[in-house]
Amino acid sequence: MIKRLDNVKLNITDSESKLLEVARKNLKGEVKYFKILKKSLDARDKNNLKWVYSVACSSDCESDEVQKFEKIKNPPKVIIIGSGPAGLFCALRLIEHGIRPIIVERGESVENRVKTTQKFFDGGALDVNSNIQFGEGGAGTFSDGKLNTQTHDGLNRDVLKIFHRFGAPQEILYLNKPHIGSDNLYSILSSVRKHVIENGGEYLFNTLFCGFIEKDGKIKSVLLKNVKTGEQTEMSAECVVAALGHSSRDTFGMLNASKIAMEPRDFAIGVRIEHLAESIGFAQYGKNFRLLPTADYKLVSHAHERTVFTFCMCPGGVVIPAASEEGGVVVNGMSLYARKGINSNSALMVQMKKSDFGEGLFDGMNFQREIERKAFLCGGKNYKAPVQTYGDFAKDKVSSSFGDVKPTYAAGTAFAPLGEILPKIAVDALKVAIQDMDGKLRGFASPSALLTGVETRFSSPVKILRNENGESVSLKGFYPCGEGSGYSGGITSSAADGLGVAEKIFNNIKNH
């Protein structure tokens, strides 16, 4: 019989082998089954930091239950548009049900995509189809690979197990704030691709979804274009999953022109804020911070009428160029598994409302684009990012030098007035919130903290409406999915939505 032990505390210098000793004492004998269920840090007393565990143990030989899936005898042809977390996890679950999907991706395979993005970082031309937003793995490929989520979807646990199955560290199954790291994500994506292909699936890279043909209100085929050669093809399909990602603005336009029901959404915009990683570590954990993993944080401020919050915090990470359209600057954050960089950064986001940009379907998207173009112009029209120290930002002064924090943005930076790029409501909110957050994390409002603009791709500005069967309300057999369709935010929730859509497809086929 498996026994669960909660609130098991170890000193931060203790070996986890002590957990087995605790299990032996509790079972009063040999431990034949042992598993860490949860691990978190208790940092309330900085002079007495503790790791807190929940573990499962048994004196009998136990095995974890393996999930079984019913197979479809006559599987339909399913095309998945997009190979981000939503698309890939949808494909993996469809394969479990005996369905062999075709994955259509406008960008490149991860191996080629890494090379293409590096050329852009080094001053080369932007590839509008293969970049930080588009390509195998989606925008999450170049991130911290954070797997914590605000949702309580029952499929979130499945997401963690699948990531581990394809190469993620086992600790993601029990850490309170699990992360993979971009370097691990590259190999995981390759493993997923190998599995999909070995099980009859197919990938079409450098292929843009540019239209569809319907018959009697049901999807019949999709129109595809090779972005390298311009060659166009038509491919029949019984089901199409639209896992587009939040930056597929041209595809959103095509779907709207094709009468697919959509609605505008509120979203957030902001900047990246960078601090020295050791400053964050000391503020969070005190003098013993070097004995612990690189410190993270999560902050929210309600000091202004607009909520301001941190998002996608990258301990020991870098700020990266994330543009996907020519003439616009967009930033994001990335860190490797080790999180050993000098700086730590986070998105610092201000909640925007439709009243800020209009009620039209694409008013929000155009609002994002306008801010990105201002950033491009202020950066020098060469994809350098506009930057400002917090001390100068608070004084409405263009910076002329850096303090202790030097920029990590790979494509270069230019001193510029962020207050002239972002809307006034966002600027005012950021000024108030940074000071407020300093009360929660000392040093957050350091004058040398560096703000890099602009972060505008927090979420999709539109939502593709779907019904209880998971299908578009406008087109049978067309399944909106993931972040780009307005149903998730971040890697875990997007992957979970992909699993959920796959189950909807399976059930719809089974019941008809």
Side-chain angles (χ1 to χ4, degrees):
M1 179 178 177
I2 296 177
K3 190 171 186 178
R4 179 177 175 129
L5 307 177
D6 291 315
N7 202 35
V8 180
K9 295 185 178 182
L10 297 183
N11 294 321
I12 57 173
T13 55
D14 286 342
S15 167
E16 287 187 344
S17 62
K18 286 195 172 184
L19 294 172
L20 276 171
E21 296 178 19
V22 173
R24 289 191 194 100
K25 289 180 180 179
N26 196 278
L27 295 174
K28 299 179 181 179
E30 186 178 0
V31 178
K32 293 185 178 180
Y33 175 88
F34 177 83
K35 186 176 184 180
I36 298 176
L37 302 176
K38 187 177 180 181
K39 176 182 178 181
S40 59
L41 182 68
D42 183 350
R44 289 173 294 180
D45 182 353
K46 294 178 182 177
N47 294 315
N48 189 28
L49 300 168
K50 297 284 187 180
W51 287 114
V52 183
Y53 295 84
S54 293
V55 300
C57 56
S58 176
S59 55
D60 297 320
C61 293
E62 307 279 356
S63 60
D64 294 324
E65 185 177 346
V66 178
Q67 193 171 3
K68 296 181 180 179
F69 298 91
E70 183 180 350
K71 305 287 186 181
I72 291 289
K73 293 181 179 179
N74 297 302
K77 187 173 182 180
V78 178
I79 294 176
I80 298 173
I81 310 298
S83 66
L88 291 181
F89 276 68
C90 183
L92 291 171
R93 183 53 55 88
L94 289 175
I95 285 172
E96 298 282 9
H97 286 299
I99 300 169
R100 299 180 292 275
I102 298 172
I103 300 172
V104 173
E105 171 56 58
R106 69 190 297 168
E108 298 171 298
S109 66
V110 67
E111 298 88 352
N112 292 327
R113 185 185 179 196
V114 169
K115 296 175 184 176
T116 298
T117 54
Q118 188 59 53
K119 288 178 181 177
F120 176 56
F121 292 178
D122 293 339
L126 171 67
D127 186 326
V128 297
N129 289 302
S130 189
N131 45 60
I132 293 298
Q133 308 296 347
F134 302 136
E136 187 176 17
T141 301
F142 299 94
S143 70
D144 189 64
K146 287 172 287 295
L147 302 180
N148 47 306
T149 179
Q150 297 299 308
T151 70
H152 299 284
D153 192 316
L155 294 170
N156 288 345
R157 186 66 185 171
D158 285 5
V159 171
L160 298 179
K161 290 180 178 178
I162 292 170
F163 268 121
H164 174 55
R165 172 186 171 191
F166 286 101
Q170 186 175 15
E171 65 193 29
I172 71 167
L173 299 176
Y174 57 78
L175 281 177
N176 186 42
K177 296 179 180 179
H179 80 282
I180 297 175
S182 285
D183 44 344
N184 286 329
L185 279 170
Y186 304 157
S187 59
I188 290 169
L189 290 170
S190 296
S191 297
V192 169
R193 188 195 324 144
K194 180 181 178 183
H195 175 79
V196 169
I197 293 172
E198 286 178 347
N199 284 274
E202 184 179 354
Y203 282 72
L204 298 177
F205 291 113
N206 302 307
T207 303
L208 178 66
F209 168 51
C210 55
F212 61 87
I213 295 175
E214 63 173 290
K215 184 178 181 180
D216 300 327
K218 188 179 187 308
I219 193 82
K220 178 184 176 185
S221 60
V222 294
L223 304 178
L224 307 174
K225 183 176 76 171
N226 186 296
V227 300
K228 301 292 187 182
T229 66
E231 180 183 359
Q232 297 192 34
T233 56
E234 179 183 345
M235 181 176 290
S236 63
E238 294 170 68
C239 300
V240 174
V241 178
L244 305 174
H246 54 45
S247 294
S248 299
R249 293 169 172 173
D250 50 355
T251 306
F252 293 146
M254 178 273 291
L255 293 175
N256 181 54
S258 300
K259 309 301 182 184
I260 297 296
M262 308 165 75
E263 65 182 19
R265 299 177 70 218
D266 293 342
F267 52 85
I269 61 168
V271 296
R272 281 271 153 183
I273 185 167
E274 288 191 89
H275 300 85
L276 292 176
E278 64 178 18
S279 298
I280 299 299
F282 184 79
Q284 289 286 58
Y285 305 140
K287 62 184 179 180
N288 292 317
F289 74 91
R290 288 188 175 88
L291 298 175
L292 293 163
T294 308
D296 64 0
Y297 59 78
K298 183 177 180 182
L299 301 170
V300 179
S301 172
H302 300 288
H304 188 269
E305 65 177 274
R306 294 297 176 88
T307 299
V308 179
F309 57 95
T310 61
F311 174 76
C312 187
M313 195 271 159
C314 297
V318 297
V319 179
I320 56 174
S324 61
E325 290 184 339
E326 293 179 348
V329 164
V330 183
V331 300
N332 202 346
M334 183 181 99
S335 57
L336 304 180
Y337 176 70
R339 292 176 161 178
K340 293 299 184 182
I342 294 175
N343 289 357
S344 290
N345 75 81
S346 175
L348 190 59
M349 309 302 294
V350 182
Q351 193 66 48
M352 293 285 106
K353 302 178 180 179
K354 295 186 187 74
S355 57
D356 296 315
F357 48 78
E359 296 287 339
L361 179 60
F362 294 139
D363 285 349
M365 188 171 71
N366 293 330
F367 177 76
Q368 293 173 328
R369 182 179 282 139
E370 179 183 358
I371 294 170
E372 294 164 11
R373 287 178 175 171
K374 285 182 180 179
F376 180 76
L377 293 174
C378 287
K381 303 180 183 180
N382 53 9
Y383 296 101
K384 288 184 177 181
V387 295
Q388 202 170 8
T389 64
Y390 169 66
D392 290 332
F393 175 74
K395 299 174 183 176
D396 296 319
K397 174 185 173 184
V398 177
S399 299
S400 58
S401 63
F402 298 110
D404 294 337
V405 183
K406 305 300 188 295
T408 57
Y409 181 84
T413 60
F415 291 122
L418 293 172
E420 295 180 12
I421 298 171
L422 296 168
K424 186 178 185 303
I425 188 73
V427 173
D428 293 344
L430 287 171
K431 289 178 179 179
V432 172
I434 292 173
Q435 282 295 331
D436 182 48
M437 290 175 175
D438 191 75
K440 305 169 185 176
L441 183 64
R442 187 174 297 276
F444 194 80
S446 166
S448 64
L450 189 63
L451 307 181
T452 305
V454 288
E455 176 106 13
T456 50
R457 307 291 181 88
F458 167 71
S459 62
S460 175
V462 298
K463 182 176 185 177
I464 306 174
L465 303 183
R466 66 187 185 192
N467 59 28
E468 65 278 3
N469 293 324
E471 297 172 298
S472 161
V473 298
S474 309
L475 183 63
K476 192 172 178 60
F478 189 73
Y479 291 82
C481 181
E483 194 166 347
S485 297
Y487 293 95
S488 63
I491 293 175
T492 304
S493 59
S494 294
D497 196 57
L499 295 176
V501 167
E503 294 294 351
K504 291 285 188 182
I505 291 173
F506 167 75
N507 287 321
N508 290 343
I509 294 167
K510 178 183 175 182
N511 296 328
H512 290 84

